[in-house]
Amino acid sequence: MARYYEINEEGARIAHEANSMREFKAGSETEGYRAQVDEAYRMAEKQAERFPEAADKAYALADRFARKYAEWLNEGYRIDVMCPSILVSGGSNFPVRKKERQNARRALRAMECGR
């Protein structure tokens, strides 16, 4: 019954490789996303059992979570690709200003979601 949205695995792989020396496990981002969405739908199901009159609202909220979480993850991959980690790329001619813009975007994103 859970509805899943697309996770950009290629973007996740590129972002991972730009920021980590460890190997990227194909499908791992989608797997983690689906686990979180499954939990949201489990919670919606519990609420629907307790309050049948609110079942539609509970499932709508779970679907909204699934969509917004996919968007949030994909946006994070896009931000992570903006500039590689200095530990991966090395310090020679490192684009400091570009990294500052990336970090500012990450901070703004964290503020937007309340972290």
Side-chain angles (χ1 to χ4, degrees):
M1 176 144 177
R3 182 171 178 195
Y4 304 107
Y5 293 84
E6 184 176 348
I7 299 301
N8 184 354
E9 281 288 329
E10 181 64 13
R13 183 190 60 76
I14 294 169
H16 178 83
E17 290 173 355
N19 293 287
S20 177
M21 300 295 273
R22 287 184 273 143
E23 188 176 336
F24 178 74
K25 181 182 171 200
S28 61
E29 295 299 316
T30 299
E31 183 181 314
Y33 162 77
R34 286 181 172 230
Q36 293 295 316
V37 170
D38 288 344
E39 181 60 27
Y41 274 93
R42 272 192 290 280
M43 290 173 21
E45 196 171 302
K46 277 185 180 178
Q47 287 301 99
E49 288 172 4
R50 288 182 64 200
F51 306 102
E53 67 280 0
D56 289 342
K57 185 175 181 179
Y59 289 119
L61 284 171
D63 181 63
R64 183 168 187 253
F65 169 78
R67 181 176 48 83
K68 294 300 241 174
Y69 188 45
E71 290 171 4
W72 187 81
L73 288 172
N74 290 329
E75 173 70 7
Y77 306 143
R78 191 190 66 73
I79 292 169
D80 286 348
V81 169
M82 290 172 64
C83 186
S85 167
I86 193 169
L87 299 174
V88 172
S89 67
S92 181
N93 295 320
F94 187 75
V96 175
R97 298 277 187 255
K98 191 173 187 180
K99 191 64 168 180
E100 288 171 349
R101 287 192 301 270
Q102 179 189 39
N103 289 338
R105 181 61 190 118
R106 282 180 177 153
L108 178 63
R109 183 171 174 253
M111 285 180 13
E112 288 172 349
C113 74
R115 285 185 165 191

